[in-house]
Amino acid sequence: MRRVGVRTGIAVLALAAVASGCAPGTTGPGATGPGATGAAGTRPAPGGQSPQEQAAGAKHTYAARAAAARRWGLRKVPLTPPAPPATKPAITTREGFEVEDHEELDLPPVFTTVPTKDKVVFLTIDDGAEKDPAFLRMMSDLKIPYTAFLSDYLVKEDYGYFKKMQDRGVTLNNHTLHHPYLPDLSYSRQKHEICGMQDVIEKHYGKRPELFRPPFGNYNRDTLRAAKSCGVKYAPLWSEEVFVDHWDYREWDRDLHPGDIVLTHFRGHADWKGTMPDMIRRFMDLVTQKGYAVARLEDYL
């Protein structure tokens, strides 16, 4: 479903295109005042737990995740991402991806990676064609965060599927009503595609998104002007794209980097030689092998 086009007003890079912590506790068992210790004379760990209880909880959490990894056929247990940054990184448009008057008009930044030293990547999934219940179970079981970018012409077949996704903590974002090649459209038609999808998501899921991804990754100045007028704050693209049987890379080194945004699509046997769980296995096996955790994109914005 990807289409390559020339974005009006931007320089095309010569790159390969690719489609917890709680507040410190003050009491332990039997303690009554600030700084009191537990029965064993040790200061309680965060959340009011003793260090032993905290260690036991971490061990239990890991065991549960390891069991889930075995059930879903992963080679290794997924790594746990760090806590979200207390100070969010400054998000700016990637060099070469600007449009005319981008900064002057304060248009949404277009970026392929998030500036961070955390060894994390972000999984984003586009459109909504495949609605696989096993995928929902797998992601919940493994507790892998991801961000969805939806197009109404596909989502409207089953709004309830994506409500289940939202109920599991996934943020549902804008990928236009009909997935057109936006630079071919007038400003008013682009605004209809983007604002119209804002309306659909608000109606069915209760909140207007702040993230928008242009179909095929193609946009022009009118696209970003329209997106801003519809309440969009960010326009994330991607650094890598994962399929059921291979990866595509934007950068010359064909490798992952801290903060990279990874794209995939809601697809199944109709388009792939496999299922969405098959794709997630490929994704997680490489990410974990390279020492990366999967974090939630919205936590860094």
Side-chain angles (χ1 to χ4, degrees):
M1 293 184 65
R2 292 178 294 138
R3 170 178 176 177
V4 178
V6 178
R7 288 174 279 193
T8 303
I10 63 172
V12 180
L13 296 181
L15 299 169
V18 298
S20 351
C22 301
T26 58
T27 59
T32 59
T37 59
T42 58
R43 188 177 299 279
Q49 293 181 318
S50 69
Q52 294 85 353
E53 290 170 330
Q54 190 178 45
K59 184 176 180 180
H60 175 78
T61 298
Y62 179 83
R65 203 168 198 192
R70 289 193 297 271
R71 282 195 299 274
W72 291 103
L74 303 189
R75 294 174 184 170
K76 294 184 177 180
V77 181
L79 299 174
T80 301
T87 301
K88 309 300 182 186
I91 306 297
T92 59
T93 293
R94 177 172 175 165
E95 184 178 357
F97 285 62
E98 308 92 343
V99 299
E100 184 180 357
D101 297 327
H102 204 133
E103 290 187 6
E104 291 80 357
L105 295 175
D106 192 27
L107 298 177
V110 181
F111 53 103
T112 62
T113 188
V114 172
T116 180
K117 294 181 180 179
D118 293 343
K119 202 167 182 184
V120 297
V121 296
F122 308 101
L123 178 62
T124 63
I125 312 180
D126 281 8
D127 64 45
E130 182 73 7
K131 304 164 186 68
D132 186 351
F135 168 75
L136 292 182
R137 294 195 300 271
M138 181 182 196
M139 300 304 271
S140 295
D141 207 12
L142 292 169
K143 294 179 172 55
I144 300 171
Y146 59 101
T147 298
F149 291 87
L150 306 179
S151 292
D152 189 51
Y153 83 107
L154 296 170
V155 176
K156 67 182 181 181
E157 298 170 356
D158 188 355
Y159 288 121
Y161 177 84
F162 299 95
K163 183 64 172 69
K164 293 176 184 176
M165 190 176 293
Q166 183 187 44
D167 291 344
R168 288 162 167 79
V170 177
T171 303
L172 308 180
N173 292 294
N174 191 326
H175 200 43
T176 71
L177 290 170
H178 303 100
H179 205 275
Y181 178 70
L182 291 172
D184 278 351
L185 305 184
S186 66
Y187 172 80
S188 62
R189 290 180 64 191
Q190 292 198 50
K191 185 174 180 179
H192 170 72
E193 282 287 335
I194 300 169
C195 287
M197 193 60 198
Q198 295 287 84
D199 294 340
V200 167
I201 293 177
E202 182 177 33
K203 176 181 177 181
H204 292 279
Y205 307 113
K207 185 178 180 180
R208 297 176 77 80
E210 295 185 345
L211 276 61
F212 159 71
R213 174 174 284 161
F216 317 108
N218 292 111
Y219 59 93
N220 60 16
R221 185 171 179 264
D222 282 346
T223 308
L224 300 182
R225 287 178 55 229
K228 180 181 177 181
S229 75
C230 301
V232 169
K233 294 185 178 180
Y234 301 97
L237 297 184
W238 60 90
S239 288
E240 295 88 24
E241 182 171 1
V242 61
F243 299 83
V244 74
D245 57 353
H246 71 280
W247 285 68
D248 280 346
Y249 297 85
R250 188 182 294 273
E251 308 300 341
W252 65 270
D253 61 358
R254 298 181 59 80
D255 202 0
L256 297 178
H257 313 89
D260 275 0
I261 300 171
V262 181
L263 164 69
T264 192
H265 289 79
F266 290 97
R267 293 290 184 272
H269 281 294
D271 301 281
W272 285 345
K273 294 180 180 179
T275 64
M276 291 198 71
D278 292 333
M279 178 274 296
I280 292 298
R281 274 187 284 273
R282 173 172 286 274
F283 169 74
M284 290 305 306
D285 284 345
L286 180 64
V287 167
T288 307
Q289 174 194 333
K290 289 181 172 291
Y292 285 84
V294 183
R296 183 174 179 266
L297 178 59
E298 290 82 0
D299 288 342
Y300 284 72
L301 302 180

